[in-house]
Amino acid sequence: MSLPAPRRRAAVIGTGAIATGGHLPALRAHGERVELVAAVDPDEGRLDAFRQLAGARVAGFTSTAAMLDEARPDLVLIGTPPALHREQTVAALEAGAWVLCEKPLCLSQAELDDIAAAEEASGAFAAVVFQHRYGSGAAHARDLLARGELGAPLVAHCQTTWHRDAAYYAEPWRGRWATEGGGPTMGHGIHQYDLLLHLLGEWEEIRAMAARLVHDIESEDVSTALVRFRGGALATVVNSVLSPQEVSRIRIDCADATVELTHLYGHGNDDWVYTPAPHVDPERVAAWRAPARNVPSSHTAQLGAFLDAYDQGIRPPGSGQDARAAVEFAAALYKAAFTGLPVRAGEIGPGDPHWTAMHGGHPDWAPKEPA
């Protein structure tokens, strides 16, 4: 009889809203498997408030290096602004800790190579938080699609139409390539098109447009794309922060059914709707019903899968190629939008300007040099 895995020691870097609203509840839900032992934030007031919420036994640090040296966590959860992700992820990996980092894992495919090198050297792994992949509804839909139960996927729509005002972009790091990595393509819609890629698999070609229609920012505030998948399906992808009526939606029309997910920031079984084609036998439709257990998409669901991988010593979901897929897709969308040319999967490699920066140095989009 095998012994249960020991309780893992975790640290949080960044103690803002995503740590208190996402990571802390997830850690509590898995309290029998993981213990929060340390937190890092250069803002001592915010750090103290988080520690009071998390519990007095959580040690506080204003330096990531000091925390890694003194606390020696098994796991590190990162919830800082995107520009810090690569450096903090690499530092944690080099200290031997596994990493679960908020999206995007980093700002370019070049930075992904740095993380991959740190993984190889340390034997630890870094995964990105894409919680919409997790939960029973997403797992059920992916299984049905993979087994061909809904017929061949033909047409898809992926929609992230949200609203962000000027006050949102008053935060200095938002809307800037060097600190956020991009606009809604990189910071908002990435959750939904990551789920689309999770459901439909590899894509072949993308054509796109992007614009700054409202906000005075470096990056875009809306983008649209047409995507051809390797299996033949055609998809539209819309990423917006200009939409008063907010919704997140994925719809996939297959030969035998339409599957549609409509939500905003998270989903459960009831948010997935299956509509059969007229020719489909009702007995077959019965097999599409939602699983009996309703596990919502959440940090809690992803942390459970991450801990399972840690206990087994295997690469966790959301790492490696899983993490690269979304960053590569974002780079391809930006390149297609800024050049007006179609971009094929795998086209962007070392030497391509979009490999190191999402704006690709385009004169209309790259940050302007000071006068």
Side-chain angles (χ1 to χ4, degrees), residues 242-265:
L242 308 179
S243 308
Q245 199 277 320
E246 295 187 296
V247 70
S248 306
R249 179 177 292 123
I250 286 179
R251 170 176 168 149
I252 303 173
D253 297 324
C254 302
D256 296 336
T258 293
V259 54
E260 186 167 13
L261 166 67
T262 304
H263 67 114
L264 187 54
Y265 299 136

PDB file of all heavy atoms in Angstrom, residues 242-265:
ATOM      1  N   LEU A 242     -13.970  46.902 -25.582  1.00  0.00           N
ATOM      2  CA  LEU A 242     -14.819  48.040 -25.955  1.00  0.00           C
ATOM      3  C   LEU A 242     -16.301  47.715 -25.874  1.00  0.00           C
ATOM      4  O   LEU A 242     -17.127  48.514 -26.333  1.00  0.00           O
ATOM      5  CB  LEU A 242     -14.482  48.469 -27.399  1.00  0.00           C
ATOM      6  CG  LEU A 242     -13.009  48.735 -27.708  1.00  0.00           C
ATOM      7  CD1 LEU A 242     -12.849  49.118 -29.174  1.00  0.00           C
ATOM      8  CD2 LEU A 242     -12.455  49.818 -26.807  1.00  0.00           C
ATOM      9  N   SER A 243     -16.678  46.606 -25.270  1.00  0.00           N
ATOM     10  CA  SER A 243     -18.023  46.055 -25.415  1.00  0.00           C
ATOM     11  C   SER A 243     -18.851  46.219 -24.142  1.00  0.00           C
ATOM     12  O   SER A 243     -18.615  45.512 -23.153  1.00  0.00           O
ATOM     13  CB  SER A 243     -17.924  44.578 -25.791  1.00  0.00           C
ATOM     14  OG  SER A 243     -17.066  44.400 -26.904  1.00  0.00           O
ATOM     15  N   PRO A 244     -19.829  47.134 -24.126  1.00  0.00           N
ATOM     16  CA  PRO A 244     -20.619  47.363 -22.911  1.00  0.00           C
ATOM     17  C   PRO A 244     -21.333  46.111 -22.401  1.00  0.00           C
ATOM     18  O   PRO A 244     -21.431  45.900 -21.193  1.00  0.00           O
ATOM     19  CB  PRO A 244     -21.622  48.437 -23.353  1.00  0.00           C
ATOM     20  CG  PRO A 244     -20.912  49.176 -24.443  1.00  0.00           C
ATOM     21  CD  PRO A 244     -20.132  48.130 -25.180  1.00  0.00           C
ATOM     22  N   GLN A 245     -21.845  45.294 -23.305  1.00  0.00           N
ATOM     23  CA  GLN A 245     -22.488  44.045 -22.901  1.00  0.00           C
ATOM     24  C   GLN A 245     -21.420  42.956 -22.940  1.00  0.00           C
ATOM     25  O   GLN A 245     -21.014  42.501 -24.001  1.00  0.00           O
ATOM     26  CB  GLN A 245     -23.655  43.704 -23.826  1.00  0.00           C
ATOM     27  CG  GLN A 245     -24.656  42.710 -23.253  1.00  0.00           C
ATOM     28  CD  GLN A 245     -24.236  41.260 -23.418  1.00  0.00           C
ATOM     29  OE1 GLN A 245     -23.703  40.876 -24.449  1.00  0.00           O
ATOM     30  NE2 GLN A 245     -24.481  40.462 -22.400  1.00  0.00           N
ATOM     31  N   GLU A 246     -20.934  42.561 -21.764  1.00  0.00           N
ATOM     32  CA  GLU A 246     -19.769  41.679 -21.688  1.00  0.00           C
ATOM     33  C   GLU A 246     -20.179  40.205 -21.753  1.00  0.00           C
ATOM     34  O   GLU A 246     -21.141  39.783 -21.102  1.00  0.00           O
ATOM     35  CB  GLU A 246     -19.014  41.920 -20.385  1.00  0.00           C
ATOM     36  CG  GLU A 246     -18.408  43.314 -20.281  1.00  0.00           C
ATOM     37  CD  GLU A 246     -17.532  43.442 -19.053  1.00  0.00           C
ATOM     38  OE1 GLU A 246     -18.068  43.333 -17.931  1.00  0.00           O
ATOM     39  OE2 GLU A 246     -16.323  43.642 -19.222  1.00  0.00           O
ATOM     40  N   VAL A 247     -19.400  39.439 -22.506  1.00  0.00           N
ATOM     41  CA  VAL A 247     -19.641  38.003 -22.584  1.00  0.00           C
ATOM     42  C   VAL A 247     -18.375  37.304 -23.045  1.00  0.00           C
ATOM     43  O   VAL A 247     -17.536  37.888 -23.750  1.00  0.00           O
ATOM     44  CB  VAL A 247     -20.809  37.683 -23.547  1.00  0.00           C
ATOM     45  CG1 VAL A 247     -20.417  37.949 -24.999  1.00  0.00           C
ATOM     46  CG2 VAL A 247     -21.292  36.243 -23.380  1.00  0.00           C
ATOM     47  N   SER A 248     -18.210  36.071 -22.609  1.00  0.00           N
ATOM     48  CA  SER A 248     -17.182  35.166 -23.119  1.00  0.00           C
ATOM     49  C   SER A 248     -17.921  33.985 -23.737  1.00  0.00           C
ATOM     50  O   SER A 248     -18.792  33.399 -23.084  1.00  0.00           O
ATOM     51  CB  SER A 248     -16.277  34.664 -21.988  1.00  0.00           C
ATOM     52  OG  SER A 248     -15.726  35.742 -21.266  1.00  0.00           O
ATOM     53  N   ARG A 249     -17.565  33.642 -24.951  1.00  0.00           N
ATOM     54  CA  ARG A 249     -18.348  32.604 -25.637  1.00  0.00           C
ATOM     55  C   ARG A 249     -17.466  31.788 -26.572  1.00  0.00           C
ATOM     56  O   ARG A 249     -16.593  32.322 -27.258  1.00  0.00           O
ATOM     57  CB  ARG A 249     -19.491  33.238 -26.432  1.00  0.00           C
ATOM     58  CG  ARG A 249     -20.349  32.230 -27.194  1.00  0.00           C
ATOM     59  CD  ARG A 249     -21.511  32.905 -27.914  1.00  0.00           C
ATOM     60  NE  ARG A 249     -22.492  33.441 -26.973  1.00  0.00           N
ATOM     61  CZ  ARG A 249     -22.873  34.713 -26.929  1.00  0.00           C
ATOM     62  NH1 ARG A 249     -22.341  35.593 -27.760  1.00  0.00           N
ATOM     63  NH2 ARG A 249     -23.777  35.109 -26.055  1.00  0.00           N
ATOM     64  N   ILE A 250     -17.720  30.499 -26.594  1.00  0.00           N
ATOM     65  CA  ILE A 250     -17.179  29.597 -27.616  1.00  0.00           C
ATOM     66  C   ILE A 250     -18.341  28.795 -28.188  1.00  0.00           C
ATOM     67  O   ILE A 250     -19.170  28.268 -27.438  1.00  0.00           O
ATOM     68  CB  ILE A 250     -16.117  28.655 -27.032  1.00  0.00           C
ATOM     69  CG1 ILE A 250     -14.814  29.412 -26.761  1.00  0.00           C
ATOM     70  CG2 ILE A 250     -15.836  27.487 -27.982  1.00  0.00           C
ATOM     71  CD1 ILE A 250     -13.719  28.567 -26.171  1.00  0.00           C
ATOM     72  N   ARG A 251     -18.392  28.750 -29.506  1.00  0.00           N
ATOM     73  CA  ARG A 251     -19.401  27.928 -30.184  1.00  0.00           C
ATOM     74  C   ARG A 251     -18.681  27.117 -31.259  1.00  0.00           C
ATOM     75  O   ARG A 251     -17.897  27.663 -32.033  1.00  0.00           O
ATOM     76  CB  ARG A 251     -20.480  28.803 -30.815  1.00  0.00           C
ATOM     77  CG  ARG A 251     -21.427  28.038 -31.740  1.00  0.00           C
ATOM     78  CD  ARG A 251     -22.523  28.913 -32.259  1.00  0.00           C
ATOM     79  NE  ARG A 251     -23.241  28.261 -33.355  1.00  0.00           N
ATOM     80  CZ  ARG A 251     -24.518  28.441 -33.627  1.00  0.00           C
ATOM     81  NH1 ARG A 251     -25.226  29.276 -32.893  1.00  0.00           N
ATOM     82  NH2 ARG A 251     -25.086  27.820 -34.647  1.00  0.00           N
ATOM     83  N   ILE A 252     -18.947  25.806 -31.283  1.00  0.00           N
ATOM     84  CA  ILE A 252     -18.362  24.930 -32.293  1.00  0.00           C
ATOM     85  C   ILE A 252     -19.485  24.156 -32.967  1.00  0.00           C
ATOM     86  O   ILE A 252     -20.211  23.396 -32.311  1.00  0.00           O
ATOM     87  CB  ILE A 252     -17.342  23.957 -31.667  1.00  0.00           C
ATOM     88  CG1 ILE A 252     -16.236  24.729 -30.927  1.00  0.00           C
ATOM     89  CG2 ILE A 252     -16.737  23.057 -32.743  1.00  0.00           C
ATOM     90  CD1 ILE A 252     -15.291  23.849 -30.144  1.00  0.00           C
ATOM     91  N   ASP A 253     -19.644  24.406 -34.253  1.00  0.00           N
ATOM     92  CA  ASP A 253     -20.641  23.688 -35.051  1.00  0.00           C
ATOM     93  C   ASP A 253     -19.971  22.485 -35.687  1.00  0.00           C
ATOM     94  O   ASP A 253     -19.062  22.624 -36.517  1.00  0.00           O
ATOM     95  CB  ASP A 253     -21.207  24.591 -36.145  1.00  0.00           C
ATOM     96  CG  ASP A 253     -21.949  25.795 -35.584  1.00  0.00           C
ATOM     97  OD1 ASP A 253     -22.598  25.643 -34.537  1.00  0.00           O
ATOM     98  OD2 ASP A 253     -21.865  26.876 -36.179  1.00  0.00           O
ATOM     99  N   CYS A 254     -20.423  21.298 -35.295  1.00  0.00           N
ATOM    100  CA  CYS A 254     -19.894  20.052 -35.841  1.00  0.00           C
ATOM    101  C   CYS A 254     -20.911  19.440 -36.791  1.00  0.00           C
ATOM    102  O   CYS A 254     -22.037  19.934 -36.925  1.00  0.00           O
ATOM    103  CB  CYS A 254     -19.575  19.085 -34.708  1.00  0.00           C
ATOM    104  SG  CYS A 254     -18.380  19.718 -33.501  1.00  0.00           S
ATOM    105  N   ALA A 255     -20.552  18.357 -37.409  1.00  0.00           N
ATOM    106  CA  ALA A 255     -21.446  17.718 -38.379  1.00  0.00           C
ATOM    107  C   ALA A 255     -22.726  17.224 -37.730  1.00  0.00           C
ATOM    108  O   ALA A 255     -23.795  17.222 -38.367  1.00  0.00           O
ATOM    109  CB  ALA A 255     -20.721  16.560 -39.067  1.00  0.00           C
ATOM    110  N   ASP A 256     -22.642  16.845 -36.451  1.00  0.00           N
ATOM    111  CA  ASP A 256     -23.811  16.253 -35.803  1.00  0.00           C
ATOM    112  C   ASP A 256     -24.374  17.083 -34.653  1.00  0.00           C
ATOM    113  O   ASP A 256     -25.418  16.727 -34.105  1.00  0.00           O
ATOM    114  CB  ASP A 256     -23.451  14.859 -35.271  1.00  0.00           C
ATOM    115  CG  ASP A 256     -23.090  13.889 -36.391  1.00  0.00           C
ATOM    116  OD1 ASP A 256     -23.532  14.099 -37.532  1.00  0.00           O
ATOM    117  OD2 ASP A 256     -22.347  12.926 -36.119  1.00  0.00           O
ATOM    118  N   ALA A 257     -23.701  18.156 -34.276  1.00  0.00           N
ATOM    119  CA  ALA A 257     -24.197  18.952 -33.147  1.00  0.00           C
ATOM    120  C   ALA A 257     -23.452  20.267 -33.051  1.00  0.00           C
ATOM    121  O   ALA A 257     -22.330  20.409 -33.547  1.00  0.00           O
ATOM    122  CB  ALA A 257     -24.023  18.176 -31.837  1.00  0.00           C
ATOM    123  N   THR A 258     -24.085  21.221 -32.385  1.00  0.00           N
ATOM    124  CA  THR A 258     -23.431  22.456 -31.966  1.00  0.00           C
ATOM    125  C   THR A 258     -23.201  22.379 -30.469  1.00  0.00           C
ATOM    126  O   THR A 258     -24.110  22.037 -29.704  1.00  0.00           O
ATOM    127  CB  THR A 258     -24.303  23.680 -32.285  1.00  0.00           C
ATOM    128  OG1 THR A 258     -24.396  23.845 -33.697  1.00  0.00           O
ATOM    129  CG2 THR A 258     -23.717  24.948 -31.671  1.00  0.00           C
ATOM    130  N   VAL A 259     -21.986  22.696 -30.040  1.00  0.00           N
ATOM    131  CA  VAL A 259     -21.702  22.835 -28.617  1.00  0.00           C
ATOM    132  C   VAL A 259     -21.364  24.301 -28.374  1.00  0.00           C
ATOM    133  O   VAL A 259     -20.570  24.895 -29.103  1.00  0.00           O
ATOM    134  CB  VAL A 259     -20.551  21.910 -28.152  1.00  0.00           C
ATOM    135  CG1 VAL A 259     -19.293  22.088 -28.981  1.00  0.00           C
ATOM    136  CG2 VAL A 259     -20.241  22.150 -26.670  1.00  0.00           C
ATOM    137  N   GLU A 260     -21.997  24.885 -27.358  1.00  0.00           N
ATOM    138  CA  GLU A 260     -21.802  26.309 -27.088  1.00  0.00           C
ATOM    139  C   GLU A 260     -21.590  26.532 -25.596  1.00  0.00           C
ATOM    140  O   GLU A 260     -22.320  25.991 -24.760  1.00  0.00           O
ATOM    141  CB  GLU A 260     -23.002  27.113 -27.571  1.00  0.00           C
ATOM    142  CG  GLU A 260     -22.803  28.613 -27.465  1.00  0.00           C
ATOM    143  CD  GLU A 260     -23.857  29.412 -28.223  1.00  0.00           C
ATOM    144  OE1 GLU A 260     -24.869  28.812 -28.628  1.00  0.00           O
ATOM    145  OE2 GLU A 260     -23.659  30.624 -28.399  1.00  0.00           O
ATOM    146  N   LEU A 261     -20.582  27.343 -25.303  1.00  0.00           N
ATOM    147  CA  LEU A 261     -20.294  27.767 -23.937  1.00  0.00           C
ATOM    148  C   LEU A 261     -20.468  29.274 -23.854  1.00  0.00           C
ATOM    149  O   LEU A 261     -19.840  30.014 -24.602  1.00  0.00           O
ATOM    150  CB  LEU A 261     -18.850  27.397 -23.561  1.00  0.00           C
ATOM    151  CG  LEU A 261     -18.288  28.065 -22.298  1.00  0.00           C
ATOM    152  CD1 LEU A 261     -19.018  27.577 -21.049  1.00  0.00           C
ATOM    153  CD2 LEU A 261     -16.788  27.811 -22.172  1.00  0.00           C
ATOM    154  N   THR A 262     -21.329  29.736 -22.929  1.00  0.00           N
ATOM    155  CA  THR A 262     -21.528  31.160 -22.710  1.00  0.00           C
ATOM    156  C   THR A 262     -21.365  31.453 -21.223  1.00  0.00           C
ATOM    157  O   THR A 262     -22.010  30.827 -20.384  1.00  0.00           O
ATOM    158  CB  THR A 262     -22.934  31.599 -23.171  1.00  0.00           C
ATOM    159  OG1 THR A 262     -23.120  31.236 -24.538  1.00  0.00           O
ATOM    160  CG2 THR A 262     -23.103  33.106 -23.026  1.00  0.00           C
ATOM    161  N   HIS A 263     -20.471  32.384 -20.909  1.00  0.00           N
ATOM    162  CA  HIS A 263     -20.199  32.719 -19.513  1.00  0.00           C
ATOM    163  C   HIS A 263     -19.533  34.098 -19.507  1.00  0.00           C
ATOM    164  O   HIS A 263     -19.628  34.846 -20.476  1.00  0.00           O
ATOM    165  CB  HIS A 263     -19.307  31.651 -18.867  1.00  0.00           C
ATOM    166  CG  HIS A 263     -17.919  31.592 -19.423  1.00  0.00           C
ATOM    167  ND1 HIS A 263     -16.791  31.907 -18.692  1.00  0.00           N
ATOM    168  CD2 HIS A 263     -17.462  31.271 -20.670  1.00  0.00           C
ATOM    169  CE1 HIS A 263     -15.718  31.772 -19.434  1.00  0.00           C
ATOM    170  NE2 HIS A 263     -16.086  31.393 -20.646  1.00  0.00           N
ATOM    171  N   LEU A 264     -18.858  34.451 -18.415  1.00  0.00           N
ATOM    172  CA  LEU A 264     -18.075  35.669 -18.385  1.00  0.00           C
ATOM    173  C   LEU A 264     -16.674  35.360 -17.878  1.00  0.00           C
ATOM    174  O   LEU A 264     -15.723  35.323 -18.640  1.00  0.00           O
ATOM    175  CB  LEU A 264     -18.740  36.743 -17.522  1.00  0.00           C
ATOM    176  CG  LEU A 264     -18.046  38.122 -17.570  1.00  0.00           C
ATOM    177  CD1 LEU A 264     -17.896  38.622 -18.998  1.00  0.00           C
ATOM    178  CD2 LEU A 264     -18.795  39.131 -16.707  1.00  0.00           C
ATOM    179  N   TYR A 265     -16.539  35.063 -16.588  1.00  0.00           N
ATOM    180  CA  TYR A 265     -15.218  34.805 -16.016  1.00  0.00           C
ATOM    181  C   TYR A 265     -15.044  33.378 -15.503  1.00  0.00           C
ATOM    182  O   TYR A 265     -14.035  33.061 -14.879  1.00  0.00           O
ATOM    183  CB  TYR A 265     -14.922  35.785 -14.883  1.00  0.00           C
ATOM    184  CG  TYR A 265     -14.897  37.240 -15.307  1.00  0.00           C
ATOM    185  CD1 TYR A 265     -15.523  38.210 -14.549  1.00  0.00           C
ATOM    186  CD2 TYR A 265     -14.246  37.637 -16.474  1.00  0.00           C
ATOM    187  CE1 TYR A 265     -15.496  39.551 -14.926  1.00  0.00           C
ATOM    188  CE2 TYR A 265     -14.219  38.963 -16.867  1.00  0.00           C
ATOM    189  CZ  TYR A 265     -14.849  39.911 -16.093  1.00  0.00           C
ATOM    190  OH  TYR A 265     -14.819  41.239 -16.471  1.00  0.00           O
TER     191      TYR A 265
END
